[in-house]
Amino acid sequence: MDDYFMIEVEKVEDNEGSKSSTASKGRKQLTKKVIEYCYEPEMEETYRSSMLNAFKKTLDEGNFTFVIVDDRNLRIADFAQFWASAKRSGYEVYLLEAPYKDPTGCAARNVHGFTLDDIKKMAGDWEEAPPLYVRLDTRSLFHGDNLHEHSIQEVDMDTEDNDDADDTAVNTQSGSSKKAILESADDIPDQ
């Protein structure tokens, strides 16, 4: 979603690399075009609709077995159509929620220029997804891989039979396996 809020702006910079005689009298200024994030709340629904159309096109083209939609998804309505489209296209769909939901921490991490009050309002608008929306458990990504903490029993595998390894290999890449992950932004408490 952030890509829809990127705009081209002109920035004026001093040209410090110039060795001409004008550099000794004063620095020459250069105008550069750069891309910056500029949030426009009035455009959010239009951009979400455009993103949904692009998402559906991506699914229809079938070039990818794994698709990620990265957005705040404060309300169920924000991601329900993405979910339904992916399911209809045969994808396994997962929600990925940020593991932290403290507005103060989110405000400190945010790169979008939202104030703490903006983020508190978003946190107040956040809707818990019903259980039919399967969540991807990412706790081990954020808290190390402590097998005992997560009640996973460590098992020693017998490695003496290496001669038969090629016969028992499992293919983990299936062309028909599709996954779509609806991901939340890193700086907003959401789903």
Side-chain angles (χ1 to χ4, degrees), residues 71-75 78 96-110 112 114-128 183-191:
D71 196 6
R72 289 178 292 157
N73 297 320
L74 297 175
R75 300 165 302 160
D78 292 341
L96 175 62
E97 294 181 343
Y100 43 85
K101 298 199 167 104
D102 170 53
T104 303
C106 291
R109 293 177 55 96
N110 111 75
H112 298 96
F114 292 119
T115 66
L116 178 58
D117 288 338
D118 292 336
I119 293 174
K120 284 180 179 178
K121 182 183 179 325
M122 289 179 213
D125 292 343
W126 187 77
E127 294 176 1
E128 184 73 32
E183 181 180 32
S184 58
D186 289 341
D187 58 355
I188 312 287
D190 55 11
Q191 42 187 349

Side-chain angles (χ1 to χ4, degrees), residues 122-183:
M122 289 179 213
D125 292 343
W126 187 77
E127 294 176 1
E128 184 73 32
L132 80 96
Y133 296 102
V134 180
R135 286 165 185 79
L136 191 60
D137 186 353
T138 59
R139 287 179 292 189
S140 67
L141 298 175
F142 297 100
H143 300 292
D145 215 359
N146 185 341
L147 299 178
H148 301 293
E149 180 181 312
H150 298 289
S151 300
I152 298 174
Q153 187 175 17
E154 195 170 353
V155 178
D156 265 340
M157 300 298 289
D158 184 12
T159 58
E160 292 180 24
D161 293 337
N162 288 338
D163 296 333
D164 297 331
D166 291 336
D167 298 334
T168 59
V170 176
N171 183 359
T172 58
Q173 294 181 346
S174 169
S176 64
S177 177
K178 299 177 181 179
K179 299 198 185 318
I181 296 179
L182 306 177
E183 181 180 32

Side-chain angles (χ1 to χ4, degrees), residues 21-84:
S21 60
T22 58
S24 60
K25 296 177 187 175
R27 296 183 188 256
K28 185 177 180 181
Q29 291 187 336
L30 292 177
T31 303
K32 284 184 166 181
K33 291 186 179 188
V34 296
I35 305 294
E36 286 186 353
Y37 179 84
C38 179
Y39 180 69
E40 301 170 274
E42 67 278 1
M43 295 302 296
E44 188 158 349
E45 289 308 313
T46 300
Y47 291 161
R48 187 177 312 283
S49 177
S50 180
M51 185 171 68
L52 177 61
N53 289 333
F55 178 72
K56 287 177 179 179
K57 182 179 178 191
T58 297
L59 298 178
D60 290 343
E61 289 171 351
N63 294 328
F64 302 98
T65 58
F66 191 86
V67 181
I68 297 175
V69 176
D70 185 5
D71 196 6
R72 289 178 292 157
N73 297 320
L74 297 175
R75 300 165 302 160
I76 296 166
D78 292 341
F79 64 84
Q81 291 181 57
F82 290 90
W83 178 279

